[in-house]
Amino acid sequence: MPPRADRVDDVADVGTAGGATGRLPAIDCPPSSVGLAGGGGSAWRVVVGFGVVSLAADMAYEGARSVYGPLLASLGASAVVVGLVTGAGEAAALLLRLVSGPLADRTRRYWWLTILGYGLTAVCVPLLAVTPLLGGAGLAVAAALILAERLGKAIRSPAKSALLADAASRVGLGRGLGVHKALDQVGAFAGPLLVAAVVAMAAGSLTPGLAVLTVPGLVAMLLLLAIRARAEGLPAAGRATASVSTPVTGRRPLPARFHLFAAAMALCTAGLVTFGLIGFHLVRAGVVAPAAVPLMYAAAMAAGALAALVTGVVYDRAGPWVLLALPALIAAVPALVFGGGLPLAVGGVVVWGAAVGVQDSTVKALVADLVPRERRATAYGVFAAVQGAGALAGGAAAGGLYEFSLASLVVAVAVTQAAALVVLVGVLATARPASEARRRHTAP
């Protein structure tokens, strides 16, 4: 049996187009420089470290996101406006990665972009607390802050995903990204609960609930800077070093299978209605009180954590066919959420959370398997941009269809997911050999 270090390098290179090998250049602490010299144990520390940062950051962002619908409605927004703002926010978070992903690979400023992006989130989220105090300008300011926070997500995500994928590839992409997403979802679960508790104590006022999110945002930044400082403090022997003999193949075209997979996931994203619209409906239809919306969102995040862990393990053991469950989950959401009373709504929110968990973990594992390692940030940026197009179209369409006819919304989502399923089957049929090779290397 070859030494463990050889197996680690092999795992990292499996699934890359053309068999690309070699570590990313060590400019601005690339993925392999953050304490990975020690093998799988060190890689797990990186995965968990980023997971804890995401936990704190998601307490801030997801806590605010859980009340976007009620907040915008209280500022005078209609269902169409809620759909447009939340859909445009998600689209911005995805489409702009088309710029930030290649920028990260070209400049190798992975850490700088990651810190900048998290900083925007830490600033913008607490500022939403003042929007109810701004009178007629409150809606415009809230929309701008939501979009700015999503800009931070766009800036940091490809760079952070490249850092994370490099570590996760050493322990199994499905498991590594699944564990990270599970920690992320703990924050996404705790944030809405924190907001709900504060809003309840404030007699339904959203301002204190948003203001308290300053704390987890600050904690996320301090943790991230601590991880970065630890990376800088590593001895020279423990850091990867750039070499003139190591080519930077940032301009190599991405594989056709990757683009087809991105198209399939864009259809999935278009069909997944935003939680802003879900929360808007639950309050307007009298299904739940505004203070209960964050609790519903917390339940969704818990479901997402479990789905990420389960599908991640299945992905490493059985391959990417587990992703066929995603279109079915998405298609079920509107029929449940908009179809009746509280029990169906709770079920729909849980299914929605499971779909989000799979999208943010196991889907990213296949992206990493489909592209060359040194182009992962670019690939994540392109992939997110295509998803963003789906989010923008889906957010606007869902708001309009919601006002027109709930039945038409249910049918439209079902049709888009049927199309997504057809494309996805074609992609997975050709992606199977790469995933099987990866499993041979990660098998115990």
Side-chain angles (χ1 to χ4, degrees):
M1 178 180 291
R4 176 63 181 168
D6 292 337
R7 293 187 68 210
V8 165
D9 286 340
D10 288 342
V11 171
D13 293 328
V14 170
T16 59
T21 60
R23 298 183 186 277
L24 290 170
I27 300 174
D28 192 32
C29 292
S32 57
S33 72
V34 193
L36 298 187
S42 296
W44 272 121
R45 285 194 291 273
V46 175
V47 170
V48 173
F50 271 115
V52 175
V53 170
S54 293
L55 186 158
D58 269 36
M59 282 191 68
Y61 161 61
E62 300 291 2
R65 189 186 186 194
S66 69
V67 293
Y68 277 175
L71 173 66
L72 293 173
S74 71
L75 297 173
S78 65
V80 173
V81 171
V82 172
L84 282 173
V85 171
T86 55
E90 295 309 309
L94 298 171
L95 287 170
L96 294 177
R97 296 182 213 185
L98 190 59
V99 176
S100 62
L103 179 64
D105 279 336
R106 185 172 63 252
T107 66
R108 299 304 195 245
R109 299 294 182 184
Y110 297 99
W111 277 105
W112 187 88
L113 292 168
T114 299
I115 292 169
L116 176 62
Y118 274 115
L120 275 173
T121 293
V123 170
C124 292
V125 165
L127 288 178
L128 286 168
V130 306
T131 57
L133 310 177
L134 300 179
L139 179 58
V141 173
L145 288 171
I146 289 171
L147 294 176
E149 189 282 325
R150 293 289 79 194
L151 172 62
K153 178 74 170 178
I155 290 172
R156 72 178 180 259
S157 285
K160 187 200 78 171
S161 294
L163 292 166
L164 179 60
D166 194 81
S169 65
R170 290 159 168 75
V171 297
L173 277 168
R175 286 176 292 173
L177 296 180
V179 167
H180 172 269
K181 183 60 182 177
L183 288 169
D184 178 281
Q185 294 294 86
V186 170
F189 176 83
L193 290 180
L194 175 62
V195 171
V198 175
V199 169
M201 289 188 293
S205 174
L206 296 176
T207 295
L210 291 166
V212 76
L213 298 176
T214 303
V215 175
L218 179 60
V219 169
M221 292 305 300
L222 293 175
L223 289 172
L224 184 61
L225 292 173
I227 295 173
R228 169 64 167 144
R230 180 177 179 273
E232 287 186 329
L234 290 175
R239 301 168 67 98
T241 56
S243 169
V244 294
S245 64
T246 303
V248 180
T249 55
R251 295 183 181 275
R252 179 186 301 179
L254 295 170
R257 287 182 304 170
F258 161 78
H259 292 292
L260 288 174
F261 182 57
M265 292 302 99
L267 289 171
C268 287
T269 302
L272 187 62
V273 295
T274 67
F275 192 82
L277 185 59
I278 292 174
F280 179 91
H281 168 78
L282 295 178
V283 172
R284 189 169 86 164
V287 177
V288 298
V293 174
L295 299 178
M296 300 281 281
Y297 191 76
M301 296 301 97
L306 180 61
L309 286 172
V310 171
T311 59
V313 171
V314 174
Y315 181 91
D316 284 334
R317 292 182 178 178
W321 291 97
V322 66
L323 293 176
L324 292 180
L326 183 58
L329 291 172
I330 293 172
V333 170
L336 293 171
V337 169
F338 305 129
L342 182 60
L344 283 178
V346 171
V349 167
V350 168
V351 172
W352 181 88
V356 170
V358 174
Q359 278 190 319
D360 252 4
S361 58
T362 314
V363 165
K364 289 184 176 180
L366 183 53
V367 171
D369 264 344
L370 289 174
V371 302
R373 183 184 184 189
E374 71 277 5
R375 294 217 68 198
R376 280 176 178 165
T378 298
Y380 281 125
V382 172
F383 184 82
V386 176
Q387 282 189 297
L392 182 59
L401 289 172
Y402 175 86
E403 296 285 14
F404 175 72
S405 166
L406 289 177
S408 64
L409 176 57
V410 172
V411 171
V413 170
V415 170
T416 59
Q417 296 318 292
L421 184 62
V422 171
V423 179
L424 186 56
V425 168
V427 173
L428 298 184
T430 59
R432 186 175 182 179
S435 64
E436 288 179 345
R438 176 182 50 72
R439 291 198 305 278
R440 286 198 298 272
H441 286 283
T442 58

